[in-house]
Amino acid sequence: MQQLAGPLTYQDWDLDKAREAVLEYAGRTGGVMIALHRIQEIFGYIDDSAMPMLGKVFNLSRAEVHGIASFYHDFKREKPGRYTVKVCQAEACQAMGSEKLTEEIKAFLGADFHETSADGNFTLEPVYCLGNCACSPNIMIDTQTYGRVSIDGFKSLASTLAKAVNEQEAK
Amino acid sequence: MVKVYIPRETTADSLGAELLVKAIATEAKYRKLDIEIVRNGSRGACWLEPLVEVETDKGRVGYGPVTLDDVPDLFDADFLNDIQSGGKHAKFLGDVDKLPWFANQERLTFARCGIIEATSVAAYASLGGFVGLKNAMATTPDGIIEEMKASGLRGRGGAAFPTAIKWRTVADCKADQKYIVCNADEGDSGTFSDRMIMEGDPLSLVEGMTIAGLAVGADKGYIYLRSEYPLTQKILNEAIANAEAAGYLGENIQGSGKNFTLEVFMGAGAYICGEETSLLESLEGKRGQIRFKPPLPAIEGLHGKPTVVNNVISLASVPVILEKGGKHYAGYGQGRSLGTMPFQLGGNIKNGGLVEKGFGLTLRQLIEDFGAGTATGKPVRAIQVGGPLGAYFPASLLDTPLDYEEFAKAGGMLGHGGVVVFDDTVNMAKQARFSMEFCAVESCGKCTPCRIGSVRGMEVIDRIVGAKNAEERNAEHIVLKDLCETMESASLCAMGGLTPVPVMSAVKHFVSDFEKEFQDR
Ligand SMILES: Cc1cc2nc3c(=O)[nH]c(=O)nc-3n(C[C@H](O)[C@H](O)[C@H](O)COP(=O)(O)O)c2cc1C
Ligand code: SF4
Ligand code: FES
């Protein structure tokens, strides 16, 4: 259970870089959505200062951009931890004990939903179905789904991933 | 060179398939054995994943579920060559097609899924792929729609609206631009058929959308994919690129003079964006709020243009309908529920996964014969069918046939075909409360009964379970019923309108659970 190689590396916020990255989506169907995804992919979140910039690029008011970014659960407005852990809260996972698992993960990380563990490694989020409902309970770390997760499995995974952070930072 | 099939698919991946690929490749190299690892999708037996299959002279044989620890043993058992010796391995399954789980299915839409290398045009074409497209090109748009009508296909996204009628409406519109939009938001909990086909046989969706384009006169398609499916996104994009390179997408498809281009668009984690008008708003780069209907998307859809919005399974079923004929497809199923449905068996189930079968088998057959009962070995107590807006059934309704009309008669809906099983430790008042909570979290906020009603709903359920006496409890039950009636009748869309269904079904069938404070039973 350790398919992830290590943390995604997010760059520090840089408005010019963000603008440059999204210019090509102007005029595309749903371009602003693509842009929000892209910015989050690079920086891990969407800084407030991106709102007027996106407004200009996509011909929207700043309030409209804000409205879009805040409507969708995915878009983060603050820098997350090194890994984002999503724990499935939907019915099939409930049937396999996700409620208990969630409580145990929260206790282990010392973080509630939408919070980050004190070491800055794990941001915890709820998710409603990962489409792996025959192998519940499920979690997703960054882009990797893990099935039939137990708290012990989670703890060993978390320690492996934390180690990968240390190794990366030692370099 | 021996071919070894290991799925590149979310379920298998969630259980370590990627590590297995590396381990098997390394071990083979170390032992100087010549193998080719082929990346198929899942055949749908999630309980056997990761399922490793080997192409031997005596046919394709399976081993599963395979863990990393099994790898040296498998090689020691000579699993690449000899069924005689390899067959003695504890994970040996023999010819996977002959396992009752598969032999008892009726696979039309999923016929290739898990069998072929998922993104290969050649593999796809070797098993009937693109025959439907060729047939579609040989006939007229009307001819295509007639075939769809004969198939009896009703939308598999939930609403079960006849696909041919939707296509007819779009075909009859005069417009300079029309669109085909595939709804791949698959938000319903307990469902994963869209994902499985997109990962295991993505070209069937590509072909289905192209045929839809020919039928209605659209040359541009979008797949609106939920962001929880990043692996699916990769696989789809590869399949699209391969189809383009082989002249099955883009300009002048196969020399026909027809064009069709396809783009994958990522959602951003909003359940409501599965509703078609909200989806279109989102695809246009707006907040995913519900649009008033009319106008229907078929008449004024994406960018105000006539648009077919269909579910993944609806569209991925089009190639087989055009290949084998609408009549052939309609030969499966019963009554007004024609064709097959890929049911998805999840939750507390021993042998969970995807079962494609003509409509009409019973919930019991699905859960007991295919699923082998609960994973915990405890009795089944409740089954939720049709996603988070679907009814909870008690075990006494297990003999209900899986058919749109029969299910409606029993107070439920099939929806997208998700079946979630709970054992006897479930607390149904808690489940009812969760339905309200989910509605509150995912409401688009446009109308009050849904946005506020769902929050009130949680509070009322809390008061019911916390009531000091029967009188107090009964009074709150009346409040809950009134609230549900308001949500049902005054909500703009099915989010608020159907949330009362799971809630009231829990009250109806499991009222005793509402008589005690929340705690594990
Ligand atoms: C709240 C809500 C969520 C929905 N989610 C989905 C979904 O995730 N996928 C889907 O195909 N249809 C979903 N639908 C149904 C769509 O609105 C629409 O009926 C469907 O995409 C039409 O395609 P079909 O006719 O092929 O089923 C949802 C409807 C509602 C009201
Ligand atoms: S019922 Fe809910 S989701 Fe539907 S339009 Fe109203 S507020 Fe939006
Ligand atoms: S309900 Fe958790 S993965 Fe589907």
Side-chain angles (χ1 to χ4, degrees):
Chain A
M1 265 231 325
Q2 37 186 274
Q3 295 94 316
L4 277 182
L8 301 168
T9 39
Y10 297 127
Q11 300 180 23
D12 288 333
W13 181 253
D14 179 334
L15 184 58
D16 289 329
K17 230 185 226 168
R19 182 189 296 107
E20 225 168 89
V22 303
L23 277 179
E24 61 172 302
Y25 307 126
R28 283 263 292 272
T29 290
V32 68
M33 288 276 288
I34 309 176
L36 289 165
H37 273 303
R38 182 76 190 117
I39 291 178
Q40 184 153 305
E41 194 176 69
I42 301 172
F43 304 103
Y45 77 112
I46 300 147
D47 192 82
D48 278 343
S49 63
M51 300 297 145
M53 178 277 282
L54 288 168
K56 260 187 218 133
V57 174
F58 294 96
N59 230 338
L60 298 162
S61 75
R62 182 195 181 128
E64 279 171 315
V65 181
H66 198 278
I68 296 163
S70 62
F71 182 85
Y72 297 94
H73 299 303
D74 275 3
F75 297 134
K76 292 187 192 138
R77 310 299 302 283
E78 274 162 44
K79 192 159 185 160
R82 297 180 184 89
Y83 301 97
T84 297
V85 179
K86 293 179 178 168
V87 186
C88 181
Q89 302 296 300
E91 286 88 343
C93 289
Q94 290 168 5
M96 290 304 284
S98 62
E99 200 188 8
K100 182 157 174 272
L101 177 71
T102 303
E103 289 317 310
E104 289 168 339
I105 291 179
K106 284 180 180 173
F108 178 69
L109 295 180
D112 208 332
F113 280 142
H114 316 298
E115 291 179 0
T116 301
S117 59
D119 56 12
N121 277 346
F122 301 98
T123 298
L124 200 58
E125 299 285 348
V127 67
Y128 296 94
C129 194
L130 292 164
N132 199 28
C133 325
C135 301
S136 295
N138 288 289
I139 68 168
M140 187 177 205
I141 305 185
D142 293 338
T143 58
Q144 177 71 48
T145 298
Y146 296 87
R148 294 199 199 108
V149 177
S150 64
I151 185 62
D152 290 339
F154 178 79
K155 284 180 183 170
S156 82
L157 182 58
S159 85
T160 310
L161 293 177
K163 225 180 271 159
V165 169
N166 296 339
E167 279 163 20
Q168 201 179 65
E169 284 175 1
K171 271 187 215 159
Chain B
M1 170 94 72
V2 184
K3 276 191 180 165
V4 180
Y5 289 79
I6 307 176
R8 177 178 175 226
E9 181 268 345
T10 299
T11 296
D13 193 39
S14 79
L15 302 169
E18 224 46 54
L19 298 175
L20 209 54
V21 167
K22 281 194 198 109
I24 289 181
T26 310
E27 190 74 24
K29 203 168 167 193
Y30 175 72
R31 298 187 188 222
K32 302 204 168 41
L33 296 167
D34 200 12
I35 64 166
E36 181 196 349
I37 296 179
V38 181
R39 307 310 301 273
N40 52 342
S42 171
R43 286 175 173 250
C46 298
W47 54 289
L48 291 177
E49 295 296 353
L51 171 67
V52 175
E53 288 176 275
V54 181
E55 211 165 76
T56 69
D57 350 332
K58 300 193 186 78
R60 194 157 143 177
V61 296
Y63 297 82
V66 178
T67 64
L68 276 183
D69 294 341
D70 293 326
V71 172
D73 289 357
L74 280 170
F75 279 90
D76 288 345
D78 201 15
F79 84 123
L80 292 177
N81 296 310
D82 187 1
I83 309 183
Q84 298 309 329
S85 58
K88 293 201 187 93
H89 193 275
K91 298 288 173 75
F92 179 73
L93 299 166
D95 180 350
V96 174
D97 282 327
K98 297 214 173 80
L99 296 175
W101 166 274
F102 290 106
N104 294 329
Q105 297 197 30
E106 290 162 334
R107 290 219 165 179
L108 298 180
T109 306
F110 281 77
R112 277 176 297 258
C113 191
I115 313 283
I116 60 167
E117 180 180 355
T119 57
S120 156
V121 170
Y124 181 68
S126 74
L127 282 183
F130 294 122
V131 175
L133 179 64
K134 280 176 196 128
N135 293 342
M137 282 172 167
T139 176
T140 58
D142 283 349
I144 301 174
I145 295 174
E146 278 310 306
E147 213 53 58
M148 291 302 293
K149 201 169 150 195
S151 76
L153 180 71
R154 292 161 70 182
R156 300 291 188 241
F161 185 79
T163 305
I165 297 181
K166 191 180 282 185
W167 289 19
R168 177 87 268 158
T169 309
V170 177
D172 287 347
C173 288
K174 293 212 166 24
D176 55 347
Q177 178 72 59
K178 299 178 188 178
Y179 297 102
I180 308 295
V181 172
C182 170
N183 188 340
D185 199 50
E186 193 158 68
D188 284 358
S189 48
T191 70
F192 45 85
S193 60
D194 293 352
R195 177 184 63 66
M196 279 200 165
I197 199 94
M198 288 187 286
E199 292 177 348
D201 194 18
L203 290 164
S204 66
L205 178 58
V206 170
E207 183 183 352
M209 290 183 74
T210 310
I211 295 172
L214 292 175
V216 306
D219 64 1
K220 176 87 205 152
Y222 292 95
I223 300 171
Y224 185 98
L225 180 67
R226 68 196 302 245
S227 60
E228 290 82 358
Y229 290 175
L231 179 60
T232 320
Q233 179 190 14
K234 263 192 217 159
I235 294 173
L236 271 179
N237 279 324
E238 285 173 28
I240 288 171
N242 292 348
E244 276 169 2
Y248 283 105
L249 271 180
E251 292 195 357
N252 192 17
I253 294 172
Q254 299 296 302
S256 65
K258 305 282 185 192
N259 309 328
F260 193 72
T261 57
L262 203 47
E263 199 178 303
V264 179
F265 185 92
M266 297 309 282
Y271 175 74
I272 198 60
C273 288
E275 196 282 341
E276 56 187 7
T277 64
S278 163
L279 182 152
L280 292 172
E281 288 288 293
S282 180
L283 182 51
E284 289 179 7
K286 301 176 187 150
R287 292 164 68 89
Q289 279 191 317
I290 300 292
R291 292 179 184 170
F292 289 98
K293 283 193 245 187
L296 290 172
I299 294 169
E300 285 180 38
L302 183 62
H303 302 307
K305 303 292 182 185
T307 303
V308 169
V309 183
N310 269 140
N311 170 256
V312 174
I313 299 298
S314 312
L315 289 163
S317 299
V318 171
V320 70
I321 291 169
L322 269 290
E323 179 197 347
K324 301 200 167 154
K327 258 210 195 114
H328 178 262
Y329 188 80
Y332 295 83
Q334 61 174 35
R336 291 183 49 224
S337 303
L338 295 179
T340 59
M341 182 82 182
F343 297 104
Q344 302 125 82
L345 194 47
N348 195 330
I349 190 82
K350 188 153 174 262
N351 296 347
L354 183 137
V355 175
E356 181 177 356
K357 188 101 179 132
F359 291 93
L361 84 160
T362 64
L363 257 182
R364 186 186 303 284
Q365 287 170 319
L366 189 63
I367 293 170
E368 294 179 1
D369 298 350
F370 285 95
T374 61
T376 46
K378 293 182 174 159
V380 173
R381 179 154 187 261
I383 309 109
Q384 188 179 34
V385 180
L389 307 176
Y392 282 102
F393 278 14
S396 59
L397 287 178
L398 273 172
D399 291 311
T400 312
L402 292 150
D403 159 308
Y404 292 122
E405 279 67 40
E406 293 292 329
F407 243 68
K409 259 191 254 162
M413 61 163 195
L414 283 189
H416 187 45
V419 175
V420 175
V421 179
F422 295 78
D423 73 8
D424 64 357
T425 59
V426 68
N427 178 315
M428 293 305 298
K430 227 181 206 175
Q431 296 308 119
R433 189 188 191 281
F434 174 77
S435 299
M436 287 291 189
E437 184 186 335
F438 182 71
C439 182
V441 173
E442 297 294 339
S443 165
C444 86
K446 194 147 174 167
C447 52
T448 335
C450 168
R451 189 184 67 233
I452 307 292
S454 52
V455 178
R456 293 288 165 272
M458 292 192 277
E459 295 164 2
V460 180
I461 294 171
D462 286 343
R463 288 205 299 272
I464 292 176
V465 299
K468 283 194 232 37
N469 53 47
E471 202 182 330
E472 224 180 274
R473 187 175 311 119
N474 291 342
E476 295 296 350
H477 266 301
I478 293 171
V479 176
L480 180 63
K481 191 156 169 276
D482 285 349
L483 177 72
C484 282
E485 277 164 14
T486 307
M487 287 176 74
E488 233 168 74
S489 59
S491 294
L492 186 55
C493 83
M495 177 87 228
L498 292 182
T499 291
V501 171
V503 174
M504 292 317 287
S505 65
V507 173
K508 181 176 171 194
H509 299 296
F510 305 93
V511 75
S512 63
D513 283 14
F514 290 78
E515 288 166 13
K516 46 195 170 267
E517 290 267 6
F518 289 136
Q519 59 201 336
D520 286 325
R521 281 158 42 95

